[in-house]
């Protein structure tokens, strides 16, 4: 009886695998698949700067951070963002905060301005209350950082809190250094 049950189980197991295909291996990402052209940032309202147009940012390496003042993870990343601004702004990196509210009370521009002041944020902060830029980046996270090169290609991203002195910090700073090391294209005369 045991042999019959064992034989039947073996046949059922074998029958279940006949015709079944081995799962396909995912394709290895290509350099072009990993890099995407960043959408334009075209917002009417900014804090810490005059309104910036896409032409103002073209040809400039930039770091875009999506954040909202009510998010504790975003508040925990402010120190790293201020540090990046201090280290790299003089070397040509434009640091931009894009405030994309998660909740209704975060839509108040006076409250955003107060949070920017309270956190000592000196870099420009665009107000994206309707998530136009947030959605154009296909972003879903707060905080989310996008490092964009002079050609407008997203070179690196970081999702979640970023802290000075961590491995993620070192990796992101290395990506910034690499991006800044590429000289601007020569202008033809």
């Amino acid at each position: 009886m045991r042999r019959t049950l064992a034989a039947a189980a073996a046949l059922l197991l074998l029958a279940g695998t006949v015709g079944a295909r081995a799962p396909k291996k995912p394709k290895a990402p290509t350099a072009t698949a990993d890099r995407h052209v960043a959408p334009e940032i075209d917002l009417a309202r900014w804090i810490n700067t005059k309104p910036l147009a896409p032409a103002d940012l073209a040809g400039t390496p930039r770091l875009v951070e999506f954040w909202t003042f009510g998010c504790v993870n975003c508040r925990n990343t402010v120190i790293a963002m201020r540090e990046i601004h201090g280290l790299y702004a003089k070397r040509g990196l434009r640091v931009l905060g894009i405030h994309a509210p998660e909740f209704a009370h975060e839509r108040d521009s006076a409250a955003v301005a107060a949070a920017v002041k309270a956190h000592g944020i000196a870099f420009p902060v665009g107000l994206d209350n309707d998530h136009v830029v947030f959605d154009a980046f296909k972003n879903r996270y707060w905080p989310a950082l996008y490092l964009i090169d002079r050609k407008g290609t997203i070179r690196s991203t970081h999702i979640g809190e970023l802290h000075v002195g961590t491995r993620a910090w070192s990796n992101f700073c290395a990506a910034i250094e690499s991006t800044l090391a590429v000289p601007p294209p020569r202008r033809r005369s």
Side-chain angles (χ1 to χ4, degrees):
M1 180 73 167
R2 283 187 187 169
R3 283 187 181 177
T4 305
L5 287 175
L11 283 174
L12 285 174
L13 183 61
L14 183 62
T17 60
V18 172
R21 288 190 237 153
K24 289 184 178 180
K25 284 187 176 181
K27 290 182 181 178
T30 62
T32 54
D34 291 340
R35 303 271 166 87
H36 302 286
V37 175
E40 288 186 342
I41 297 172
D42 194 6
L43 297 169
R45 295 169 39 199
W46 289 84
I47 298 169
N48 290 340
T49 187
K50 67 174 180 58
L52 297 173
D56 298 322
L57 302 172
T60 307
R62 53 207 175 273
L63 173 59
V64 176
E65 179 204 17
F66 290 98
W67 71 290
T68 185
F69 71 78
C71 166
V72 68
N73 304 102
C74 297
R75 290 193 303 265
N76 290 341
T77 301
V78 167
I79 293 169
M81 292 302 297
R82 287 192 321 234
E83 185 73 12
I84 287 172
H85 183 249
L87 289 170
Y88 297 108
K90 292 176 187 163
R91 294 182 51 200
L93 182 70
R94 292 290 296 264
V95 178
L96 306 169
I98 304 297
H99 187 271
E102 185 175 10
F103 301 108
H105 72 279
E106 296 168 333
R107 298 174 67 84
D108 178 13
S109 60
V112 178
V116 166
K117 184 177 180 181
H119 292 295
I121 297 170
F123 50 85
V125 175
L127 303 180
D128 190 20
N129 281 352
D130 297 323
H131 285 206
V132 173
V133 177
F134 188 92
D135 292 342
F137 272 78
K138 295 181 173 52
N139 187 47
R140 300 184 336 227
Y141 308 101
W142 296 271
L145 285 65
Y146 294 83
L147 178 62
I148 303 163
D149 68 15
R150 295 177 197 283
K151 294 179 182 177
T153 303
I154 298 172
R155 299 282 303 227
S156 185
T157 60
H158 179 82
I159 305 300
E161 292 184 19
L162 183 63
H163 298 277
V164 176
T166 63
R167 182 179 303 181
W169 168 264
S170 297
N171 291 342
F172 206 74
C173 286
I176 293 170
E177 290 286 347
S178 172
T179 299
L180 292 176
V182 177
R186 291 183 183 188
R187 293 185 182 185
R188 293 182 179 180
S189 13

